[in-house]
Amino acid sequence: MLKMMIALLALPAMMQPAAAQDLPSDLVAARILPGWQTPDGTRMVALRLRLHEGWKTYWRSPGDAGIPPEFNWSGSSNLAGVRLHWPRPEVFHTNGLESIGYHRELVLPIELVPADPSRPVSLHAEVDLGVCRDVCVPATIEVAADLTGRGAHDAMIEAALADQPRRGTAHSVSCSIAPIKDGLRVTARMILPPQGKDEVVVIEAGDDDIWSSPAEVSRQGDTLIATSELVASDGRPFALDRSAMRLTVLGAGRAAEVLGCPAA
């Protein structure tokens, strides 16, 4: 909780935009890669973000002081659902704070579920995100595409899909849960080979309204132990769905992901 308070206190200063003349005109450029129709009838596309040199943006769970992206798909038509396939992010350390995201470029594969697979999807997305270097600039970008036909496979999308954290690599996983004053403390134990130097573990509750603290991580041989505190954004008690939990282990050039965390 102390780290959370420090991060919240730091954000107002970080979010102060630099003078307009100090910001590159091409700070972030965005477009939709139209992708292809999958055998299941979904459409695999991607959001490509290109950032000015030295700038970064954030992963879905951005760490101590990052800004998670928010997506609004309401302007789209013939769209019944959206699944984001996040590629492996990087871990950044700035002024004693840890954040998680991407520098220079992000290709984010997006799987679209049409309401009617026989009809084209008209995609219109509004994305709120943070773009940071020495300062953080809140940005809203809009992208649109009319997706017709079967499309064609795209090497950039395929590379981003291949770069997702590997799933199912833990031989076993369990979580013990204990109440704390304002939420729950989760201790996860995973039998998982080392993922490289300075492993970072992110424990997500599967609910965007539940905040998780940066995990304290230790190892006992092939057993990785991570402890994180979960707190609801409104400060109220909440029920934790173990099957919806997601544990991501980030290492040097490697990452693993586990869905669900049963009791020991």
Side-chain angles (χ1 to χ4, degrees):
M1 288 303 296
L2 178 59
K3 284 189 176 182
M4 181 185 182
M5 293 173 65
I6 293 172
L8 291 174
L9 289 170
L11 273 176
M14 293 176 64
M15 289 299 295
Q16 293 297 323
Q21 63 267 24
D22 295 334
L23 296 178
S25 59
D26 57 346
L27 189 57
V28 57
R31 70 183 183 97
I32 293 292
L33 304 180
W36 63 90
Q37 190 177 52
T38 74
D40 295 331
T42 62
R43 181 90 183 199
M44 187 67 73
V45 303
L47 171 65
R48 186 186 186 192
L49 298 178
R50 300 180 68 183
L51 306 170
H52 195 82
E53 184 67 29
W55 291 75
K56 62 180 179 286
T57 192
Y58 293 101
W59 190 46
R60 63 171 186 259
S61 183
D64 287 330
I67 305 162
E70 296 184 0
F71 299 84
N72 183 345
W73 310 97
S74 62
S76 304
S77 61
N78 193 34
L79 184 62
V82 174
R83 293 191 285 264
L84 304 178
H85 297 269
W86 291 92
R88 175 176 52 87
E90 302 173 63
V91 179
F92 305 102
H93 295 93
T94 306
N95 298 324
L97 298 176
E98 182 180 273
S99 60
I100 305 173
Y102 308 90
H103 79 285
R104 190 178 301 121
E105 182 177 67
L106 166 62
V107 176
L108 174 60
I110 303 170
E111 191 171 359
L112 307 176
V113 182
D116 181 352
S118 67
R119 294 174 46 230
V121 172
S122 178
L123 183 68
H124 186 280
E126 186 176 279
V127 187
D128 293 328
L129 71 161
V131 183
C132 298
R133 190 178 60 184
D134 302 321
V135 295
C136 286
V137 180
T140 298
I141 58 175
E142 292 189 32
V143 288
D146 291 321
L147 305 168
T148 61
R150 300 189 62 84
H153 283 258
D154 184 309
M156 283 192 291
I157 301 178
E158 290 178 328
L161 287 169
D163 197 32
Q164 294 179 91
R166 294 170 298 113
R167 290 188 180 178
T169 50
H171 298 291
S172 72
V173 58
S174 64
C175 282
S176 59
I177 298 174
I180 56 176
K181 182 178 180 180
D182 50 358
L184 298 172
R185 178 178 293 112
V186 175
T187 299
R189 300 177 68 91
M190 292 173 276
I191 299 180
L192 179 74
Q195 298 299 296
K197 186 181 178 182
D198 300 327
E199 291 170 306
V200 171
V201 179
V202 181
I203 299 177
E204 298 171 89
D207 184 336
D208 292 340
D209 291 328
I210 299 176
W211 174 85
S212 60
S213 69
E216 296 182 5
V217 181
S218 62
R219 266 198 177 274
Q220 296 176 357
D222 275 349
T223 300
L224 181 66
I225 304 167
T227 300
S228 179
E229 295 183 355
L230 307 182
V231 179
S233 58
D234 59 8
R236 296 181 179 179
F238 59 91
L240 182 64
D241 181 356
R242 288 177 177 269
S243 66
M245 294 177 64
R246 187 191 306 259
L247 285 65
T248 306
V249 184
L250 303 172
R254 300 174 63 188
E257 186 175 86
V258 176
L259 297 179
C261 199

